[in-house]
Amino acid sequence: MQNNLEQRSLSVGSSRSFNGASNNVVSFNTSAIVVTSDAENVPVTPEWWMSKYLPSYSATRMFKFRNPNSYNWANNLLAGLAILFYGYDQGVMSQVNLNEDYLKLMGIYPTTGNSRNLAALGGIVSVYYGGSLIGALLGGSIADRSGRITAIILGVIVSIIGATFQASAMNITWMCCARVVTGLGVGAIDAVIPVWSSEVSSHTARGSFLAIEFFLNIGGLSLAYWIEIFASMSNNQVMAWRTPLALQVVFLLTILALVPFFPESPRWLAKVGRVSEARNVLQATHKGRVEAELAAIVQNVIHDHQHAENNSYIRMLFPRTKSQRELRRRVVLSVWLQIMQELVGIGVITHFFLPALATSLTLYAAIDLIQGAGFSQDEAKLLAGFNNLSYMFSVLFAVFTLDRFGRRGTMVWGAAGMALLLLIGGILDKYAQSGGPNQRAYGAGVVAMTFLYTGTFGATWLVTPWLYPTELFPTYVRAKGGAWSVVGWSIGNGVVTMITPFLFQAIEYGVLLLLFGLNIFVIPFIIFMYPETSGRPLEQMDDFFSNATSWNVFTASQQIREQGLTDHQWTRKYNGGIEQSEISMTRVSGDVDGERHGWANKLRRRASDAGLM
């Protein structure tokens, strides 16, 4: 998108149509903006009145590097450290929930066969996601009002307070409050860091970069698990659960010490009239063409100002105008995609076998199930740890697949593959739980299916629900769009962490068969509701939502064609300009081939039209 905007910004007296808002045409002289680029050219959005009381970015203390590449590496490392902490924070409760001293101190021991204690244990974990939901909304709002750096700093400070109280908790009320506070801070960090990173750094392969970030995310989760494994070997069981919780503060203090020396988003600086500072940031982080980049940012700021009334959580959820209804569609798609990420079973499977993407609260139940399949408790813990490592490296496949095969195909085939693995695993687990001379062999098969499942998830579904919203929302609501994505993630994880313990005790191996059905369930939603975003300029997504009203992507494409507009094949990966006539010729050719070669080619053509081949 940035490259397209740069090319437009170099033309004199250019005009641009912003279909994503209200189809009004905004005309202005770009060269004048490029030449002067001062506050007089930008409709200034006043900073929040509380900004002067909050920690913020300062140009005078910003790190200085010799070249933009070094700065981009530094920016990415800071974002990676934040993502690493995020993963650590997700996994840190896994072994804590198995520690008898912790369970007795919280007043919830024993958990096996005790519904009250089981519900309380799930509640301690799930309240975190309630905090992260609220924190994401607050973080997105503060990021728009006072800047991305301010929002990150506040999120880190709140997280430090929460982590400190977690490590010192003396009862269940104390721990629940600490979990909520930590969730508030992490939600803000999680919502703002990806937005800040994309606006400060120059990235040409969005999917690949985000995949690397999530490699670090699972790395942090794995680190938490192995630290707790070694801590559990200590004779001091009090420190065995308090120490991993306290180590969260080490990550947070490091981030807090570094963030004030990094640049603010040039887009936010331009929005509040600090154009010269935006230029300085661009000069530090971008190679050449700084004025063209700045002109593109100013164009967006002008557009944002004209549609400022849309930049509201209330209007995004309860719209009054056509453009606001378009935003609500994007919100629903973003939130539902995150919920589906949990429905495909990663939270439940990793609870069943290891603490992974969702915080584990049922490893004690998982251990019982795995022991029933012929493995000892120590073996189960080690298998869980090694699965974490394989899960982490599986994410690297997404670096090579996401930008090559698109979002829709990645998710559909990923869900199909996971469904098959879950079906086989469920059948094997039925026999593994029954005992007998082949119990361990069946158990080994269940372990193998679990490893393959988490690997498939890491390569397909882990990254995509986080990448999709960044390509779905217009730039003027990007921060709030990211916050809505975290809301969906919080809802999905919160529900899963509450019901997983009861699922294990109620249906045991049937959980895998239930998840098999849920993976099949999500496939039609991806095929029929979600347009392909890979490789597309944001203007094309604006065209799609502005000119089509149907939730069915195939019907929406038909609506666009009926208006005489270019059909950009919304179900396929965009490769830079497929005209309607070419599409029609391809379709006719496919029909002829189908008649000649029968149902197999017809099926292949339909899969190709759906972006699955």
Side-chain angles (χ1 to χ4, degrees), residues 120-423:
L121 184 61
I124 292 174
V125 177
S126 61
V127 293
Y128 169 89
Y129 296 105
S132 67
L133 187 154
I134 299 171
L137 297 175
L138 292 175
S141 180
I142 293 172
D144 278 341
R145 292 182 172 195
S146 299
R148 312 328 189 196
I149 294 295
T150 297
I152 294 170
I153 292 174
L154 290 178
V156 171
I157 292 173
V158 173
S159 297
I160 289 174
I161 296 171
T164 302
F165 279 112
Q166 281 189 76
S168 59
M170 298 301 296
N171 54 60
I172 189 170
T173 303
W174 188 330
M175 177 58 81
C176 284
C177 292
R179 293 283 294 166
V180 171
V181 173
T182 306
L184 286 169
V186 173
I189 297 170
D190 194 30
V192 179
I193 278 287
V195 175
W196 171 81
S197 177
S198 66
E199 292 179 341
V200 172
S201 301
S202 177
H203 307 303
T204 55
R206 293 169 293 189
S208 299
F209 177 74
L210 198 62
I212 293 172
E213 284 191 341
F214 272 90
F215 172 80
L216 295 173
N217 170 253
I218 304 303
L221 186 148
S222 183
L223 177 65
Y225 185 82
W226 283 102
I227 286 176
E228 291 180 320
I229 285 291
F230 289 113
S232 66
M233 297 177 182
S234 169
N235 292 327
N236 189 339
Q237 290 302 297
V238 176
M239 297 307 296
W241 69 268
R242 292 192 185 273
T243 300
L245 292 174
L247 286 176
Q248 295 176 90
V249 179
V250 176
F251 289 96
L252 292 165
L253 288 175
T254 304
I255 297 170
L256 185 63
L258 293 174
V259 167
F261 299 97
F262 278 80
E264 179 57 87
S265 160
R267 186 180 178 282
W268 183 83
L269 290 171
K271 185 178 77 169
V272 296
R274 296 158 65 176
V275 181
S276 59
E277 292 183 58
R279 179 190 284 108
N280 291 337
V281 171
L282 290 173
Q283 288 173 341
T285 59
H286 289 67
K287 282 186 176 180
R289 305 186 69 183
V290 169
E291 293 301 327
E293 193 81 26
L294 183 61
I297 290 173
V298 170
Q299 291 179 23
N300 284 326
V301 169
I302 293 172
H303 175 245
D304 294 359
H305 186 76
Q306 292 179 335
H307 304 283
E309 64 176 6
N310 294 345
N311 193 9
S312 161
Y313 289 125
I314 298 298
R315 291 292 156 254
M316 293 173 78
L317 200 58
F318 303 102
R320 291 179 177 176
T321 65
K322 179 178 180 293
S323 60
Q324 291 168 2
R325 285 192 292 272
E326 295 165 11
L327 288 177
R328 182 174 63 179
R329 287 175 61 195
R330 304 186 203 210
V331 169
V332 171
L333 291 175
S334 178
V335 171
W336 179 235
L337 186 59
Q338 286 284 1
I339 293 175
M340 285 195 295
Q341 186 189 47
E342 287 304 312
L343 291 181
V344 300
I346 188 61
V348 177
I349 286 297
T350 53
H351 290 316
F352 171 75
F353 192 73
L354 76 158
L357 185 63
T359 309
S360 178
L361 60 108
T362 58
L363 194 58
Y364 62 89
I367 298 301
D368 288 342
L369 289 174
I370 296 172
Q371 283 182 280
F375 294 93
S376 69
Q377 181 170 335
D378 288 340
E379 287 175 329
K381 288 182 178 181
L382 289 174
L383 286 170
F386 287 121
N387 198 15
N388 264 326
L389 294 175
S390 68
Y391 182 23
M392 177 179 69
F393 286 104
S394 73
V395 182
L396 293 178
F397 283 98
V399 175
F400 305 103
T401 60
L402 270 178
D403 288 317
R404 178 172 297 180
F405 300 113
R407 319 311 182 212
R408 285 165 51 87
T410 297
M411 290 189 287
V412 168
W413 290 115
M418 289 186 293
L420 178 61
L421 294 168
L422 289 166
L423 177 61

Side-chain angles (χ1 to χ4, degrees), residues 572-584:
R572 294 182 177 181
K573 181 178 182 295
Y574 182 69
N575 292 312
I578 302 175
E579 299 301 328
Q580 189 169 353
S581 59
E582 296 174 351
I583 296 165
S584 300

Side-chain angles (χ1 to χ4, degrees), residues 31-142:
S31 61
I33 295 174
V34 174
V35 172
T36 58
S37 291
D38 55 48
E40 295 178 0
N41 299 97
V42 183
V44 176
T45 301
E47 293 186 49
W48 193 21
W49 66 271
M50 285 192 64
S51 295
K52 60 184 177 182
Y53 303 111
L54 300 175
S56 62
Y57 155 81
S58 172
T60 58
R61 64 169 177 260
M62 194 174 80
F63 280 136
K64 301 294 189 291
F65 289 91
R66 291 183 179 180
N67 60 72
N69 283 338
S70 298
Y71 225 129
N72 282 323
W73 273 106
N75 291 335
N76 295 342
L77 286 174
L78 178 65
L81 180 61
I83 294 293
L84 188 72
F85 160 72
Y86 167 52
Y88 183 91
D89 191 64
Q90 285 178 294
V92 75
M93 290 297 290
S94 58
Q95 295 295 309
V96 171
N97 288 326
L98 296 175
N99 187 289
E100 286 190 15
D101 179 80
Y102 166 79
L103 295 174
K104 290 176 181 177
L105 189 63
M106 296 299 113
I108 55 175
Y109 183 84
T111 53
T112 305
N114 190 313
S115 299
R116 180 264 177 193
N117 291 347
L118 198 63
L121 184 61
I124 292 174
V125 177
S126 61
V127 293
Y128 169 89
Y129 296 105
S132 67
L133 187 154
I134 299 171
L137 297 175
L138 292 175
S141 180
I142 293 172

Side-chain angles (χ1 to χ4, degrees), residues 521-578:
F521 170 75
V522 305
I523 290 175
F525 286 98
I526 301 300
I527 292 176
F528 291 104
M529 287 182 60
Y530 286 82
E532 180 59 68
T533 61
S534 179
R536 295 189 185 278
L538 189 55
E539 290 83 359
Q540 280 193 17
M541 299 310 301
D542 291 341
D543 288 342
F544 177 82
F545 287 101
S546 296
N547 297 300
T549 58
S550 175
W551 288 84
N552 185 318
V553 67
F554 297 98
T555 304
S557 296
Q558 181 64 32
Q559 291 174 342
I560 292 173
R561 288 195 298 271
E562 289 174 352
Q563 297 177 56
L565 302 174
T566 300
D567 184 354
H568 289 292
Q569 285 286 271
W570 306 102
T571 58
R572 294 182 177 181
K573 181 178 182 295
Y574 182 69
N575 292 312
I578 302 175

